């Protein structure tokens, strides 16, 4: 897509032009997009001006000295309440009337989606269009009551005499009176008539109709200040504030339309977060519930300290609770509960013991720190807390120590990362980061520095701060609100200034990046770019003021459509999204890879955050991790004493063009920082300084590396394919023996008496017992061309379609009748008959050869077909039954001549070697020569000969030719081409799975032999197979077992694939190992700003076009990746974790 792709498509432009005037006016719809009767517009104008008329009645009575001001307010409010109730009752009546008299409407798909048919001025359709009504009866009453109160107080607020007293200017009074009533009319209309869609939208859905309360709330805030001014003694500051707010009151419609004022849910969450962080000394929380609970507890603690009569008591109380509330109490409680449950359950496992030890270690550490903090605070306050602050006072000395500590920790943090100040390459950082071992060896010095910083941060700094506060002389005076809140010596104000200054710097960097790249990046250069840059330069003071206001309010700076058009976004919580963290994600087949890496990544983050190698990690910090094709997004949610809460997201692996372009730039940034430094200068510069991504460090993480290879020359090699069949027999023998051996371990000890009575285990039952042993199964329609089958044939049927992707519907018919029936011939096919009796006809062998078989040699009509009939065989060793394969696996309909021919291929030496490797440790009593007896048991060998050859017959048929690569691929995927014995094999699901597993092992063995060399002996082959069984999952990426193997962290996974575009077969190998994941820090304000634009663009402008401009690739802002990382439904991460507790102790 070019840079001049429309910001909004034609349909969305028309939609926006209809919605925005409605938002400005509070709900009236004057631009409908179609022709409507004039009374629709007249009715809306009348309803819009009704509050002004009702308030004007009261104002007139007051100006004529007929009524007092508060009586006029009550009169106007009462009239508005009655009017609001009448309007709501009218809507309810119109809805009931519509339901009662329901007439069928023909949907016209050619008309606009919001077009209505109006019948009269007060018709039901007209009423429902103008007054949509409320969803809940409670809101109907409550909103009507608020409308009356707002109209009454608004009348009082805008009385001309009152305004004249404030400004002593008739012209100003008229302006404020007129436009002030416009503001109130807008608020009343949105509350009681029709709620407009707000540009400041936080929630995707307004379930409880809270949006309607937004504008009235801000009106009540302005009125509350005026009421405070009325009923208090003359306070100059309050009077000046009231004068200023009366003027701002006129601009409320513009603030609402521009989306600067937040909706109520975002306002209260943001307010609690700001007060908790900068007023009560807490941290932003990882969830709304935690935020509310922590806010109430912290506020209760501050209030409780107000009533403590002793200064020492206040110091001890605030020190103790300050330390306790800085911990993650919920996580400590859960860990303690888990420990107690494990201990009571007498779980003696090693991991449980380590966990118990770790929990108790943390508990004693926290208890020790708390005790020392209380002792320090009480002693210092009691013995040295009476001196005034001076250059030589104890508090001044402690303040100098604090400043030195902060500088030292800042320096130690900076030298942990790959760049100093994000500009210069750190000379102390390892230059070789290609392997984990070399990297960890060279990073040991930095790790030691990180330990020193951790000690200073965890143990030294807290006690120094406690000493500074305990020595403050202001603590000697009790019952001070500033003391209770914690503003001692402007400690909290310093935190506010620091936070706002960091936000201002980040916002300026983001604004400059947007402005500069709109011209320097050719793909971002639009026709309007030069004009926008010129306007930004001309109105630079205003732009700078906007940025400063955003920083002051801690609200995101919104670049409209990510163009250099900067607006003030409404304040919102630092998490940016209203929903619970990790509640939603676009789950797909790639999710499991991120799910597997999260525990190991969290452990790696533990040391990185503690040492400071990730820079200044505050709540709201964003990080981007890169490894191969994986992109991991990390958001810091919460910070406290020795802990951090993070949210980890995984972005899609199936890269689009935009995703690929930005991922390529991410790779360039990381390569420049980590991989091109061996021959670089000592203090090389960061050439991607303007990018919102700054590399920090590389973390050793245990994850899967993904290798994909083209198998040309292996899968199409004639020698390899020829050897494949022989290897398959060997692998299948091993798998069947292992299956029977493991199954015998789960069985009870063999009863020798019962075994002697049974005598023998026939390979195949005589004819008299055929029907008793194996019940006749229904014939499948595709197996024989009967009358029923011919009815299903169509002209489009393909007899030779072997595509495994096309599923064939198999319909079962009734079992064959005892009497033989005539089969209809199909031209071009061979019809075969058997002269056996009706009883034999029920056997599957005879049923198969009654069918019309395509591709078999022609047989003379009337000739009796040979079928395998093995004589009764007795086991020579009683323990052979432990390795006996199930009876139903011995019934493959292989002709005797073909069986004798295939018997020569059975690997008898290998079979004996496999048996010799068994130990039978699970048998308490066994003869010393057990393995020798079992190996010499010919009956057992015959079982395996017949079972193995039956599976080979099912997979490859009777043809002894070398399989083609396409046959191998389809057999590997489970879509085995049809052959004579396939239906018999698929009728035994367990055997089929074992045969499929053996085939996949054989294919992997073929690849390994081609890559690593031939297998020298049987022992090496056993080692291969045992490794496949224990350390590998060999299958398909689409298998559920593949996902389970990834989550269970199987060391290796292998899959065979096919690239239809290139026409080649590919092998994919996942290897679990500890590798380096590169981590970079993102500009927090750049992310928040782009997310704010995304929220406005999708929730208000509904611009969900997949090719819209604001989602196109931007190599500097990483716009596409940032959009992906947003919470659904606006973003689409494939994985999002819940809030993860990362201990930093």
């Amino acid at each position: 897509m070019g840079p001049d792709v429309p910001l909004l498509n034609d349909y969305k432009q028309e939609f926006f032009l209809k919605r925005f005037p409605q938002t400005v006016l509070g709900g009236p719809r004057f631009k409908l997009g179609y022709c409507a009767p004039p009374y629709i517009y007249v009715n809306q104008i009348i309803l819009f001006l009704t509050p002004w008329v009702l308030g004007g009645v009261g104002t007139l009575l007051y100006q004529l000295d007929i009524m007092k001001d508060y009586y006029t307010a009550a009169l106007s409010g009462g009239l508005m309440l009655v009017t609001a109730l009448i309007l709501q009752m009218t809507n309810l009546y119109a809805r009931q009337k519509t339901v009662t008299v329901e007439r069928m409407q023909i949907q016209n798909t050619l008309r606009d989606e919001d077009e209505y048919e109006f019948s009269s001025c007060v018709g039901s359709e007209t009423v429902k269009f103008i007054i949509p009504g409320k969803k809940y009866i409670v809101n109907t009453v409550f909103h009507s009551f608020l409308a009356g109160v707002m109209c009454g107080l608004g009348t009082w607020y805008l009385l001309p005499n009152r305004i004249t007293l404030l400004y002593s200017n008739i012209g100003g009074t008229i302006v404020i009176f007129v436009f002030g009533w416009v503001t109130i009319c807008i608020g009343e209309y949105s509350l009681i008539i029709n709620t407009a869609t707000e540009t400041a939208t936080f929630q995707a859905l307004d379930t409880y109709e809270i949006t309607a309360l937004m504008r009235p709330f801000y009106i009540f805030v302005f009125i509350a200040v005026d009421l405070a001014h009325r009923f208090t003694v003359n306070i100059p500051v309050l009077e000046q504030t009231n004068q200023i707010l009366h003027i701002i009151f006129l601009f409320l419609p513009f603030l609402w339309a521009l989306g600067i004022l937040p909706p109520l849910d975002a306002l209260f969450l943001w307010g609690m977060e700001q007060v908790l962080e900068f007023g009560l000394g807490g941290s932003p929380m990882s969830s709304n519930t935690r935020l509310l609970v922590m806010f109430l507890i912290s506020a209760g603690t501050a209030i409780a300290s107000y009533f403590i009569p002793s200064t020492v008591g206040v110091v001890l109380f605030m020190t103790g609770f300050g330390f306790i509330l800085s911990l993650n109490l919920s996580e400590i409680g859960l860990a303690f509960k888990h420990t107690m449950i494990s201990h009571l359950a007498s779980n003696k496992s090693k991991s449980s013991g380590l966990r118990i030890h770790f929990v108790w270690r943390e508990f004693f550490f926290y208890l020790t720190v708390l005790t020392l903090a209380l002792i320090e605070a009480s002693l210092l306050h009691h013995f040295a807390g009476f001196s005034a602050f001076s250059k030589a006072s104890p508090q001044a000395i402690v303040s100098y120590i604090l400043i030195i500590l902060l500088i030292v920790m800042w320096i130690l943090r900076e030298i942990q990362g790959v760049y100093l100040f994000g500009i210069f390459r750190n000379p102390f950082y390892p230059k070789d980061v290609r392997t984990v071992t070399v990297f960890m060896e060279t990073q040991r010095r930095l790790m030691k520095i990180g330990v020193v910083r951790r000690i200073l941060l965890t143990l030294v700094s807290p006690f120094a701060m406690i000493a500074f506060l305990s020595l403050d002389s202001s603590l000697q005076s009790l019952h001070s609100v500033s003391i209770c809140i914690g503003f001692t010596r402007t400690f909290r104000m310093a935190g506010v200034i620091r936070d706002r200054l960091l936000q201002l710097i980040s916002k300026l960097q983001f604004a400059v990046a947007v402005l500069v790249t709109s011209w320097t990046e050719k793909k971002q250069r639009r026709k309007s770019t030069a004009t926008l840059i010129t306007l930004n330069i001309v109105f630079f003071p205003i732009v700078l003021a906007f940025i400063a206001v955003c920083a002051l309010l801690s609200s995101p700076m919104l670049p409209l459509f990510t163009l250099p058009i900067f607006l003030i976004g409404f304040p919102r919580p630092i998490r940016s999204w209203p929903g619970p963290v990790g509640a939603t994600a676009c789950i797909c087949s790639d999710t499991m890879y991120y799910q597997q890496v999260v525990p190991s990544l969290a452990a790696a983050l533990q040391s990185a955050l503690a040492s400071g190698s990730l820079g200044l990690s505050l709540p709201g910090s964003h990080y981007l991790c890169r490894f191969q094709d994986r992109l991991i997004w990390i958001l810091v949610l919460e910070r406290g004493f020795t802990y951090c809460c993070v949210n980890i997201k995984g972005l899609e692996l199936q890269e689009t063009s935009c995703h690929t372009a930005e991922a390529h730039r991410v790779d360039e940034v990381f390569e420049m920082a980590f991989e091109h430094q061996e021959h670089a200068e000592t203090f090389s510069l960061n050439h991607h300084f303007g990018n919102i991504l700054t590399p920090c460090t590389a973390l050793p993480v245990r994850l899967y590396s993904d290798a994909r290879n083209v198998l040309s020359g292996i899968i199409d090699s004639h020698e390899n394919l020829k050897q494949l069949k022989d290897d398959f027999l060997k692998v299948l023998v091993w798998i069947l023996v292992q299956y029977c051996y493991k199954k015998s371990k789960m069985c009870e000890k063999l009863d020798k008496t019962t075994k002697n009575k049974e005598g023998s285990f026939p390979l195949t039952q005589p004819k008299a017992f055929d029907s008793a042993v194996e019940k006749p199964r229904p014939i499948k329609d595709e197996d024989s061309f009967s009358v029923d089958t011919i009815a299903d044939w169509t002209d489009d049927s393909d007899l030779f379609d072997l595509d495994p992707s096309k599923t064939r519907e198999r319909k079962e018919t009734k079992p064959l009748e005892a009497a033989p029936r005539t089969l209809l011939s199909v031209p071009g096919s061979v019809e075969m008959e058997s002269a056996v009796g009706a009883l034999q006809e029920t056997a599957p062998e005879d049923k198969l050869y009654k069918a019309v078989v395509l591709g078999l040699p022609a047989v003379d009509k009337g000739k009796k077909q040979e079928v395998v009939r093995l004589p009764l065989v007795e086991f020579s060793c009683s323990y052979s039954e432990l390795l006996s394969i199930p009876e139903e696996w011995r019934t493959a309909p292989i002709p005797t001549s073909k069986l004798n021919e295939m018997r020569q291929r059975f690997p008898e030496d290998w079979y004996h070697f496999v048996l010799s490797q068994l130990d039978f440790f699970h048998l308490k009593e066994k003869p010393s020569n057990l393995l020798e007896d079992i190996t010499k048991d010919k009956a057992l060998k015959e079982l395996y000969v017949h079972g193995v050859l039956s599976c080979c017959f099912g997979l490859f048929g009777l043809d002894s030719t070398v399989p083609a690569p396409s046959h191998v691929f389809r057999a590997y995927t489970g879509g085995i081409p049809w052959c004579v014995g396939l239906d018999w094999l698929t009728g035994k699901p367990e055997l089929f799975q074992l045969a499929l597993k053996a085939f996949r092992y054989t294919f992997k063995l073929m690849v390994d032999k081609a890559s690593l060399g031939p297998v020298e002996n049987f022992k090496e082959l056993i080692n291969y197979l045992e490794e496949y069984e224990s350390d590998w999952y060999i299958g398909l990426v689409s298998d559920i077992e593949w996902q389970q193997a990834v989550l269970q962290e199987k060391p290796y996974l292998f899959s065979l694939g096919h690239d239809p575009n290139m026409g080649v077969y590919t092998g994919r190998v996942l290897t679990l190992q500890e590798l380096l994941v590169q981590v970079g820090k993102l500009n927090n304000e750049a992310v928040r700003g782009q997310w704010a634009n995304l929220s406005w663009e999708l929730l208000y402008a509904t611009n969900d076009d997949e090719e819209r401009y604001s989602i196109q690739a931007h190599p500097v802002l990483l716009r596409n990746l940032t959009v992906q990382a947003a919470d659904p439904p606006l973003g689409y991460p494939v994985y999002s974790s819940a809030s993860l507790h990362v201990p930093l102790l």
Side-chain angles (χ1 to χ4, degrees), residues 544-825:
L544 189 61
F546 278 11
I547 297 175
V549 171
C550 290
L552 186 64
L553 296 176
S554 186
S555 62
M557 182 184 64
L558 192 154
L560 195 64
F561 298 106
T562 63
L563 293 173
I565 305 173
F566 302 108
L567 302 177
I568 301 174
F570 65 86
R572 66 198 78 190
I574 202 71
R575 291 181 287 115
S576 296
W577 308 113
V581 174
T584 55
C586 301
I587 305 298
C588 67
S589 59
D590 298 331
T591 302
M592 57 183 173
Y593 300 110
Y594 293 110
Q595 194 173 352
Q596 176 273 326
V597 78
V598 161
S600 179
L601 179 60
L605 287 175
Q606 178 179 350
S607 60
L609 289 170
S611 64
S613 59
L614 295 183
L616 184 61
S617 300
L618 299 173
S621 298
H622 297 262
Y623 297 92
L624 187 65
C625 305
R626 179 68 167 170
F627 175 75
Q628 290 187 348
D629 59 349
R630 270 156 277 185
L631 283 164
I632 303 174
W633 193 285
I634 301 174
L635 168 61
V636 179
L637 301 170
E638 181 181 338
R639 279 297 295 261
F641 183 67
T642 68
Y643 85 93
C644 178
C645 291
V646 299
N647 167 235
I648 298 178
K649 296 177 181 176
L651 306 187
E652 63 180 356
L653 300 183
Q654 298 177 352
E655 299 180 350
T656 60
S657 57
C658 296
H659 181 108
T660 303
E662 293 187 357
H664 180 67
R665 176 57 65 91
V666 171
D667 292 335
E668 285 183 357
V669 172
F670 282 133
E671 287 175 4
M672 184 66 66
F674 296 109
E675 300 179 13
H676 294 166
Q677 295 299 328
E678 292 186 6
H679 304 289
E681 298 178 1
T682 305
F683 286 96
S684 60
L685 296 176
N686 178 10
H687 297 285
H688 298 280
F689 176 70
N691 199 296
I692 70 168
L693 176 66
T694 302
C696 292
T697 187
L699 301 179
V701 180
R702 186 174 174 82
L703 43 63
Y704 282 101
S705 62
D706 193 347
R708 304 172 192 242
N709 302 310
V710 176
L711 299 181
S712 299
I714 298 178
I715 193 173
D716 52 1
S717 171
H718 181 79
E719 294 297 327
N720 292 341
L721 294 175
K722 183 178 179 181
Q723 185 67 27
L724 181 71
K725 276 191 175 182
D726 296 333
D727 288 342
F728 171 72
L729 297 178
K730 294 179 181 179
V731 175
L732 185 58
V733 167
W734 183 82
I735 285 180
L736 290 179
V737 170
Q738 292 295 319
Y739 168 82
C740 297
Y741 177 69
K742 292 177 181 178
K743 194 173 182 180
S744 68
K745 287 185 176 181
M746 298 183 292
C747 298
E748 296 181 358
K749 186 179 179 180
L750 182 64
D751 188 356
K752 295 184 179 181
T753 306
T754 307
K755 177 66 179 67
N756 293 331
K757 290 183 180 179
E758 291 177 358
S760 63
F761 296 85
L763 293 177
T764 57
Q765 288 73 23
K767 297 178 182 178
F769 297 96
D770 276 357
S771 60
V773 174
E774 181 168 358
K775 297 180 181 179
R777 290 192 303 272
I779 294 182
K780 299 179 181 178
D781 291 341
E782 71 260 27
D783 293 341
S784 63
F785 295 96
S786 62
V787 179
D788 300 331
T789 313
I790 294 175
D792 295 334
W793 276 72
T794 64
D795 293 337
D796 298 330
S797 299
D798 187 359
L799 295 177
F800 306 99
D801 184 13
L802 303 179
D803 189 353
S805 63
K806 299 180 181 179
T807 57
R808 296 173 294 179
E809 182 180 357
R810 303 188 175 206
K811 299 180 290 183
E812 295 188 353
T813 60
K814 296 181 180 180
L816 290 176
E817 303 293 339
R821 62 184 179 182
T822 305
L823 299 177
L824 300 182
S825 297

Side-chain angles (χ1 to χ4, degrees), residues 189-258:
Y189 199 99
S190 65
L191 176 64
I192 203 65
I193 307 297
N194 182 26
T195 303
T197 303
E198 299 289 352
T199 51
T201 303
F202 190 54
Q203 301 274 1
L205 297 175
D206 184 22
T207 306
Y208 302 104
E209 299 177 314
I210 300 176
T211 305
L213 303 176
M214 172 185 164
R215 302 192 183 200
F217 172 79
Y218 289 105
I219 292 175
F220 281 127
V221 169
F222 282 75
I223 293 175
V225 176
D226 181 70
L227 292 177
H229 180 221
R230 284 174 184 266
F231 295 106
T232 55
V233 183
N234 289 333
I235 302 176
V237 175
L238 189 59
E239 182 178 358
Q240 293 175 1
T241 303
N242 194 18
Q243 291 174 346
I244 295 173
L245 291 182
H246 266 78
I247 297 175
I248 297 177
F249 188 79
L250 310 183
F251 295 93
L252 276 181
F254 297 99
L255 298 179
W256 289 327
L258 294 176

